Amino acid sequence: MLISVAAALRRVGVPHPLRRTAQLDELRVGEAAVEADTPIEIELVAEATGTSVVLTGTLQTVATCSCRRCLEPFPQSLVVAIREVFELRPTEGETYPLVSEHLDLVPLVRDAVLLSLPLAPLCRAECPGPAPELFPTQTTAAAEGPVAGMGPAVTAPAPAPVASESPRDPRWAALDQLNLDR
Ligand SMILES: [Zn+2]
């Protein structure tokens, strides 16, 4: 994806708009990815400063993520702000190379997208997870309330119960109460 910036280099300080649509191989970080051939809309402005070219603007695309709680896939739109410098003698990890008045947008797009992917995707802030009845939230447990004097106390379960040992369903406590009263 080589872009000629010859025109920009000849008119220092004059912004040149750059609009492209990129489609790359899959870009993945853990459970979040921009899948192969998903359009990445590039809207940048190139401005020469003598021997370098500054690109500013945005990238927009859609990532496919797996929710860390319910494990369901969901789309997440990404808007990434860009401000990068291309120069004849680039600094590793800081600026990109400018070769024969051309710059390659692929490394910039790849780096920017990878850095913007969510590390712990969540389909929505209040996602209850895979089984709310097995893993009640603190609010639900508090609403049920403990049953006084009934064998092992029914208390709010730990925030992250161990999967191998299901916590006691607080609804059973109500049945125990009925049997005792007879
Ligand atoms: Zn979820």
Side-chain angles (χ1 to χ4, degrees):
M1 217 181 169
L2 286 178
I3 309 285
S4 169
V5 286
L9 284 167
R10 265 170 217 115
R11 301 183 67 191
V12 169
V14 178
H16 285 253
L18 272 182
R19 285 203 174 82
R20 294 287 190 284
T21 303
Q23 288 173 292
L24 307 182
D25 293 339
E26 184 189 67
L27 299 171
R28 170 174 293 278
V29 173
E31 295 305 315
V34 172
E35 290 169 352
D37 301 327
T38 303
I40 302 171
E41 303 297 339
I42 301 170
E43 276 201 48
L44 298 172
V45 169
E47 193 173 326
T49 62
T51 58
S52 65
V53 173
V54 180
L55 288 192
T56 49
T58 55
L59 307 181
Q60 288 194 52
T61 189
V62 177
T64 304
C65 305
S66 287
C67 178
R68 69 167 187 263
R69 287 190 197 150
C70 68
L71 310 179
E72 292 293 326
F74 69 99
Q76 172 143 2
S77 51
L78 297 180
V79 180
V80 191
I82 301 292
R83 190 181 187 289
E84 296 295 345
V85 176
F86 286 73
E87 54 189 356
L88 293 173
R89 279 183 285 278
T91 309
E92 175 80 33
E94 288 182 30
T95 60
Y96 294 92
L98 184 62
V99 182
S100 310
E101 302 190 327
H102 284 73
L103 49 85
D104 185 1
L105 283 184
V106 172
L108 177 152
V109 172
R110 186 183 290 133
D111 293 352
V113 168
L114 287 174
L115 281 173
S116 70
L117 287 170
L119 295 176
L122 196 57
C123 66
R124 55 201 165 93
E126 68 279 17
C127 173
E133 64 280 4
L134 281 182
F135 305 103
T137 58
Q138 293 292 349
T139 354
T140 328
E144 299 276 352
V147 180
M150 285 297 302
V154 181
T155 52
V162 185
S164 60
E165 192 181 321
S166 299
R168 190 178 179 214
D169 190 323
R171 284 173 296 191
W172 289 111
L175 289 178
D176 292 346
Q177 183 84 57
L178 285 176
N179 292 337
L180 191 79
D181 286 346
R182 278 172 195 178

